[in-house]
Structures are given as structure tokens and as C-alpha cells.
């Protein structure tokens, strides 16, 4: 599992001749890093005597869930990419289509989990202890970049999928996640400005 690997080992695997882990897994790990930075800001604020400490304690729990989800999605993305390769090698069109749908669903789930991180970062940067708010802003930017990368993967993959209803659903979800992510990141940036 990616979560159990030292970061250097993971990066070596990314930079290797292997097909996986690739962009989707890296995006998910980046989103998880973003969640962790926002969690850290919550922890430092809750330890202080801020009036929003109780609210940030609940936000921290949600961010921890998102971090775990994103690490799981990193593994799922690597598996989905390998399944696509196997399906193409088989020459079975139905198998290829099923694999392509799975390799589109996973980055869509990654994008939506990253969106949740960026949206929670709005609260964290508004209520967090000032010395840690820049860390939460970095976390939001990482999660937003992961969201953008995941949406890009979704859009590339749906071009190869025959099921029009599936394509329309994924395209709509991608558009919604992208727009909401932009709005949330703008709010984070406004909160983080001195």
C-alpha cells in the first residue's frame, strides 16, 4: 500500500519505467498531504484558547477521514490503471470499457475528496491560529492542484468511453467540482492574506 511506503520509495516508483503509480495516485497523495496540513492547523488552534476550537476539532476529524480516503484512492488508482493495461492487452472491448469506467470513477472520487479538503480549508484559514494559517493555505493549494489534475484525468478518459450516460454524469461532476474548487480556493486565499 502506498500509505505504508517511505516517501522516497514512492517517488522512486513514480519516476521509474513502471506504469504505476502515475498521475492519479500522485494527485491523491498530494490531496492527502493537503488534508494533513489543514489538520495540523486545526491541532495547533485547538491546543490554543481560540473560540473556534470546538468547531475546528470536528473539521480536523473530517480532514483525517479525507486523508485516509485519499491514500486508499491512490492505491485504487494504481490498480485501475493496471486493469486498463490488462484489458487493452486482452482485446476484449467490453472489458476495456469497464476498465476505462473504473479508471475514470477513481479520479472523480479523488477530485471530490480534494474538493472537500479545499472547502474545509476555508473554515480552517478563517478560524485557525494565525501562525498556522499559511500552512493550511498551502494544504488547500495542494488539494486544489490534485483536484485539477484529477478532473483533467476524468476529462481525458471520458473521450474513450462509449456509455453516453456515464460520460455525461462524469462530465457534470467534473464541472461542478472544478467550479466549487475555484470558489473555495479564492476564499482560502482571501482568508490567508495578512
Amino acid at each position: 500500500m502506498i500509505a505504508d511506503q517511505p516517501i522516497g520509495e514512492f517517488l522512486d516508483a513514480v519516476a521509474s519505467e513502471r506504469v504505476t503509480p502515475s498521475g492519479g495516485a500522485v494527485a491523491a497523495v498530494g490531496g492527502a498531504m493537503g488534508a494533513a496540513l489543514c489538520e495540523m492547523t486545526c491541532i495547533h488552534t485547538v491546543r490554543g484558547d481560540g473560540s473556534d476550537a470546538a468547531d475546528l476539532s470536528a473539521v480536523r476529524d473530517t480532514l483525517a477521514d479525507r486523508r485516509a480516503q485519499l491514500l486508499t484512492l491512490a492505491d485504487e488508482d494504481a490498480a485501475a490503471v493496471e486493469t486498463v493495461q490488462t484489458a487493452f492487452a486482452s482485446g476484449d472491448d467490453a472489458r476495456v470499457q469497464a476498465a476505462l469506467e473504473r479508471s475514470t470513477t477513481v479520479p472523480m472520487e479523488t477530485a471530490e475528496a480534494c474538493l472537500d479538503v479545499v472547502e474545509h480549508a476555508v473554515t480552517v484559514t478563517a478560524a485557525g491560529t494565525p501562525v498556522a494559517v499559511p500552512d493550511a493555505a498551502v494544504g488547500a493549494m495542494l488539494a486544489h492542484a490534485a483536484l485539477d489534475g484529477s478532473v483533467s484525468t476524468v476529462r481525458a478518459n471520458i473521450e474513450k468511453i462509449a456509455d453516453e450516460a456515464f460520460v455525461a454524469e462524469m462530465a457534470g461532476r467534473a464541472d461542478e467540482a472544478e467550479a466549487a474548487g475555484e470558489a473555495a480556493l479564492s476564499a482560502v486565499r482571501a482568508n490567508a492574506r495578512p
Side-chain angles (χ1 to χ4, degrees), residues 24 77 100-112 115 144-163 166-182:
D77 187 86
L100 285 170
E101 286 186 17
R102 182 67 187 142
S103 71
T104 303
T105 302
V106 174
M108 191 66 251
E109 291 172 359
T110 299
E112 290 168 344
L115 171 60
H144 186 266
L147 185 164
D148 272 353
S150 298
V151 164
S152 178
T153 298
V154 168
R155 289 192 175 128
N157 288 352
I158 61 177
E159 292 183 8
K160 304 174 197 92
I161 295 173
D163 183 337
F166 178 86
V167 168
E169 178 194 347
M170 290 296 123
R173 285 169 64 182
D175 289 346
E176 287 175 19
E178 187 174 54
E182 288 293 333

Side-chain angles (χ1 to χ4, degrees), residues 1-11 13 18 21 75:
M1 290 182 58
I2 289 172
D4 299 328
Q5 294 178 11
I7 189 68
E9 184 180 310
F10 173 70
L11 295 176
R18 293 171 37 194
D75 287 316

Side-chain angles (χ1 to χ4, degrees), residues 76-90:
E76 289 181 17
D77 187 86
V81 170
E82 289 173 5
T83 300
V84 168
Q85 287 214 295
T86 304
F88 272 112
S90 77

